[in-house]
Amino acid sequence: MVLIVDSGATKSDWIALDDNGKQLFVTQTLGLSPEVLTKEVIEDRLANNFELSKNKEKVRQLYFYGAGCGTDRMKIFLKSIFKDFFPNAKAEVREDTYAAIYATTKIGKQGIVCILGTGSNCSYYDGHQLIQKVTSLGYILMDDGSGNFFGRKLIRDYYFHKMPQDLGIKFAKEFDLDADVIKDHLYKQPNPNTYLATFARFIIENKEHPYCKGVIEKGLQQFVNNYIMQYELATKVPVSFVGSIAHFLRDELKACMERNDLILGVIRRRPIEGLVEFHQGTI
């Protein structure tokens, strides 16, 4: 059995294939980001999934693409957990950018591939190798244009009284904005980046409001300026996107690309389908 995993900060999509590339089952766990979760939390999330627990000894190959897996330290950390949980499997751990590349760009073709989901990232693919100009420092300092970026912006504007009154009233009705609740999630609960990203739903649902339009436009432009424009060939090759923010703000993203003379490639909400196609071709 072969397991293919696309793991973001919020959730992880798992697809199992047999030795002929035929799909056996699809399942989902919460995100397994090694940068923000302990070994015990990750082990619990694996153990609490029925399909994974039932089939763990049948897995011979695991391809894991995850947020926060860009360093050797994080790869080694996850591999040690997978070795214990899937005793007969050989595990390969790569950062989620590779999942985005394999899901949007054909081998041998050049392109820029971006992630706009709970977090954000951007890489250049020369057809064979991934090149990154920006080293991520995590959700507190980076992640422009992401779900947690927009969530942080909404909360800040609400508390700094910069959100229009009509929208602020609506915002307060939909979320618990008590200061103690927010601080508890940010400083005491796991996955603060995922918590922040839950607020992004509000800006998507109200994207026609002038305030939300402005926040979205500025956030996407900031991502373009700080990430995409790092590459000399930015205006010469297709720029593709994966992630829920890219999916739900597709029209706004397209307009932003046009303003910056960028070539829009593929937009996928989830890269897992493209990943499966890629690995089926290698089995």
Side-chain angles (χ1 to χ4, degrees), residues 144-165:
D144 295 357
S146 69
N148 73 69
F149 171 91
F150 286 122
R152 188 166 64 241
K153 171 67 174 172
L154 289 173
I155 295 172
R156 283 173 55 85
D157 281 5
Y158 178 83
Y159 266 88
F160 282 126
H161 308 293
K162 293 183 178 180
M163 186 179 289
Q165 186 176 12

Side-chain angles (χ1 to χ4, degrees), residues 158-212:
Y158 178 83
Y159 266 88
F160 282 126
H161 308 293
K162 293 183 178 180
M163 186 179 289
Q165 186 176 12
D166 63 322
L167 204 63
I169 293 172
K170 189 175 182 180
F171 189 51
K173 286 181 179 179
E174 292 195 25
F175 298 96
D176 188 343
L177 298 177
D178 180 80
D180 288 336
V181 171
I182 293 173
K183 286 186 285 186
D184 180 68
H185 276 92
L186 293 181
Y187 301 112
K188 295 183 179 180
Q189 300 299 321
N191 291 53
N193 54 333
T194 302
Y195 168 72
L196 287 171
T198 62
F199 293 91
R201 170 179 59 81
F202 184 83
I203 206 166
I204 292 169
E205 292 175 348
N206 296 278
K207 64 181 186 177
E208 298 304 320
H209 191 286
Y211 163 84
C212 292

Side-chain angles (χ1 to χ4, degrees), residues 227-238:
Y227 288 82
I228 297 176
M229 291 304 185
Q230 295 276 349
Y231 301 101
E232 293 179 5
L233 295 177
T235 59
K236 307 296 183 184
V237 299

Side-chain angles (χ1 to χ4, degrees), residues 5-45:
V5 193
D6 172 44
S7 178
T10 304
K11 60 180 176 53
S12 301
D13 292 316
W14 301 68
I15 292 184
L17 306 177
D18 66 16
D19 291 342
N20 296 315
K22 182 180 178 181
Q23 184 173 303
L24 296 173
F25 66 82
V26 178
T27 190
Q28 197 174 83
T29 65
L30 293 173
L32 303 177
S33 177
E35 287 185 329
V36 296
L37 299 177
T38 64
K39 177 181 179 182
E40 291 72 26
V41 170
I42 294 174
E43 288 174 337
D44 283 345
R45 292 184 177 184

Side-chain angles (χ1 to χ4, degrees), residues 55-192:
N55 294 286
K56 62 182 182 180
E57 294 186 359
K58 299 177 184 177
V59 180
R60 64 173 182 81
Q61 183 71 58
L62 170 64
Y63 297 100
F64 184 91
Y65 301 86
C69 297
T71 66
D72 289 339
R73 184 169 63 89
M74 292 294 97
K75 291 176 184 177
I76 292 170
F77 171 67
L78 277 180
K79 280 184 177 181
S80 69
I81 296 174
F82 294 147
K83 183 178 180 181
D84 291 337
F85 191 81
F86 302 105
N88 302 314
K90 178 182 177 182
E92 290 189 23
V93 177
R94 308 187 86 173
E95 60 185 307
D96 53 353
T97 304
Y98 279 97
I101 287 171
Y102 295 152
T104 61
T105 309
K106 293 185 180 299
I107 301 297
K109 299 291 185 180
Q110 294 180 319
I112 292 172
V113 181
C114 308
I115 297 171
L116 282 180
T118 298
S120 66
N121 206 339
C122 178
S123 302
Y124 172 73
Y125 183 60
D126 68 1
H128 303 283
Q129 292 183 318
L130 178 153
I131 300 165
Q132 280 192 317
K133 284 286 190 79
V134 177
T135 300
S136 176
L137 298 176
Y139 76 98
I140 295 175
L141 296 176
M142 302 273 192
D143 279 4
D144 295 357
S146 69
N148 73 69
F149 171 91
F150 286 122
R152 188 166 64 241
K153 171 67 174 172
L154 289 173
I155 295 172
R156 283 173 55 85
D157 281 5
Y158 178 83
Y159 266 88
F160 282 126
H161 308 293
K162 293 183 178 180
M163 186 179 289
Q165 186 176 12
D166 63 322
L167 204 63
I169 293 172
K170 189 175 182 180
F171 189 51
K173 286 181 179 179
E174 292 195 25
F175 298 96
D176 188 343
L177 298 177
D178 180 80
D180 288 336
V181 171
I182 293 173
K183 286 186 285 186
D184 180 68
H185 276 92
L186 293 181
Y187 301 112
K188 295 183 179 180
Q189 300 299 321
N191 291 53

